[in-house]
Amino acid sequence: MSSAAEDERITRSLLNRSPKTNDEWIIHALNIHGFPFERKCQEIVSKTGNITLVSTNYPVKFPHIGGKESSADIWAELGPRSKRLTLIIECKKHNPELARWIFFPKGYGQTQAAPSLPYLSTEQRSNSYQGYYWFPQITAMNLLGPKMQLVNDAREVRESYLSFKGDDKKKTKTSSDTIQDAAHQVSLATQSIVEEEAQKIASNIPGYNVPVSQHFMPIIVTTARISICNFEPENVNLTNGELPFENVKLEEQPYLLYEYPLPRSLQFNPKNVDFIDKNYWYRHEQMIRMHIVVIQSDSFPEFLDILSSKADMFP
């Protein structure tokens, strides 16, 4: 983005946050809270072909007994009822002071489990069981090819430092609270709905259309700009722990894949999971992390259109 275009974007953003009357201050407060943005995301989902808006503000709790309660902003589904993709969407307005989310590629020396989505299946895979059975599983995915980059850490920073007029001590303020809150919310909602869908099958609800397979995609849609901070660890100065400016590249992204370490309270008990293979550690890594698609809001319609055009991409 050119500097002129960047200045125009920032100026327009500041103008939108300059209420003058009492009613404008009320609207400003509502905008910050994010309710209008949430409604806009619901509208976009409802108008996308092949995607069904199942519910909004859907009550969730995980685990269902004794767990934490919350709600899912948007629950939508894609594909036929027999094999479907369930979208669990969290709509997140950025912190007014910290309007850019910087993500870091997955680091060195870490276990490299393949990016994956929660997955439920009713396919019979063992003669020792009678009929169909349904267990929480994990399936590897490769979504949207090389355009989807894998990251596992993030910070929120200011959109513009050159125009900041406050105390210099506060100029370099960063945070991760908004990102972590959004990731926790959508993970809680996803785990709850996975468990709920499994219980529907176990309960043999009359008239319920049993799917052969069902994938779950947790999504965060944010008004923050999202970028990846690319650098080589070898360029970090070991004395002061800092990177020279010339050895870092900030690349803006329309969307990316965030590997969120699930809190223990949001992890399925391994004994309740059907491990497809004997590679326990590989499966364990997938069980303790949630891969969340993070989308910059301007790219949300494009992302849904791509998903809609690939309704048969999940077996």
Side-chain angles (χ1 to χ4, degrees), residues 122-193:
T122 54
E123 294 179 300
Q124 185 175 3
R125 290 195 305 276
S126 171
N127 292 330
S128 62
Y129 288 87
Q130 298 296 320
Y132 291 117
Y133 56 100
W134 181 281
F135 289 111
Q137 303 163 5
I138 301 292
T139 186
M141 73 168 187
N142 181 16
L143 183 68
L144 302 180
K147 198 171 185 179
M148 182 71 72
Q149 296 196 48
L150 179 63
V151 299
N152 72 338
D153 206 350
R155 300 297 294 179
E156 304 158 45
V157 300
R158 298 186 188 280
E159 183 168 28
S160 173
Y161 285 88
L162 299 180
S163 61
F164 182 71
K165 304 299 183 183
D167 185 346
D168 283 348
K169 293 181 180 180
K170 298 179 180 179
K171 190 169 186 174
T172 54
K173 172 186 176 182
T174 68
S175 177
S176 61
D177 292 347
T178 303
I179 300 170
Q180 293 300 308
D181 177 65
H184 189 276
Q185 283 286 102
V186 76
S187 297
L188 168 61
T190 300
Q191 298 292 67
S192 173
I193 291 174

Side-chain angles (χ1 to χ4, degrees), residues 118 120 134 136 189-199 216 268:
L120 299 177
W134 181 281
T190 300
Q191 298 292 67
S192 173
I193 291 174
V194 168
E195 187 176 44
E196 181 176 322
E197 291 292 276
Q199 289 183 0
F216 298 80
F268 277 108

Side-chain angles (χ1 to χ4, degrees), residues 32-256:
I32 291 176
H33 179 69
F35 180 75
F37 175 60
E38 187 177 318
R39 281 293 178 89
K40 180 63 178 179
C41 291
Q42 294 171 6
E43 178 197 39
I44 293 171
V45 171
S46 67
K47 291 184 176 180
T48 303
N50 295 328
I51 295 181
T52 301
L53 182 61
V54 176
S55 184
T56 61
N57 300 316
Y58 186 78
V60 294
K61 184 178 183 179
F62 184 83
H64 281 193
I65 299 177
K68 183 177 180 181
E69 297 186 53
S70 185
S71 63
D73 288 345
I74 299 173
W75 175 354
E77 289 184 350
L78 170 68
R81 293 292 295 175
S82 60
K83 295 184 178 182
R84 58 183 179 264
L85 172 63
T86 296
L87 309 178
I88 313 299
I89 304 172
E90 172 75 11
C91 308
K92 202 68 175 180
K93 278 276 291 178
H94 65 265
N95 182 320
E97 292 186 359
L98 307 174
R100 194 170 180 181
W101 292 3
I102 307 296
F103 291 87
F104 300 88
K106 187 162 183 178
Y108 290 82
Q110 301 183 41
T111 303
Q112 298 293 321
S116 56
L117 294 176
Y119 170 58
L120 299 177
S121 174
T122 54
E123 294 179 300
Q124 185 175 3
R125 290 195 305 276
S126 171
N127 292 330
S128 62
Y129 288 87
Q130 298 296 320
Y132 291 117
Y133 56 100
W134 181 281
F135 289 111
Q137 303 163 5
I138 301 292
T139 186
M141 73 168 187
N142 181 16
L143 183 68
L144 302 180
K147 198 171 185 179
M148 182 71 72
Q149 296 196 48
L150 179 63
V151 299
N152 72 338
D153 206 350
R155 300 297 294 179
E156 304 158 45
V157 300
R158 298 186 188 280
E159 183 168 28
S160 173
Y161 285 88
L162 299 180
S163 61
F164 182 71
K165 304 299 183 183
D167 185 346
D168 283 348
K169 293 181 180 180
K170 298 179 180 179
K171 190 169 186 174
T172 54
K173 172 186 176 182
T174 68
S175 177
S176 61
D177 292 347
T178 303
I179 300 170
Q180 293 300 308
D181 177 65
H184 189 276
Q185 283 286 102
V186 76
S187 297
L188 168 61
T190 300
Q191 298 292 67
S192 173
I193 291 174
V194 168
E195 187 176 44
E196 181 176 322
E197 291 292 276
Q199 289 183 0
K200 288 179 182 177
I201 299 302
S203 300
N204 295 315
I205 298 176
Y208 182 72
N209 189 352
V210 178
V212 173
S213 64
Q214 184 173 1
H215 296 73
F216 298 80
M217 181 183 291
I219 295 173
I220 297 172
V221 183
T222 178
T223 55
R225 294 168 59 194
I226 59 177
S227 299
I228 291 182
C229 179
N230 283 310
F231 67 92
E232 293 297 330
E234 64 187 33
N235 292 323
V236 178
N237 186 305
L238 194 58
T239 301
N240 60 20
E242 297 181 359
L243 270 166
F245 299 144
E246 63 272 16
N247 294 132
V248 185
K249 183 180 291 185
L250 297 176
E251 299 178 329
E252 194 156 356
Q253 305 291 317
Y255 32 78
L256 46 75

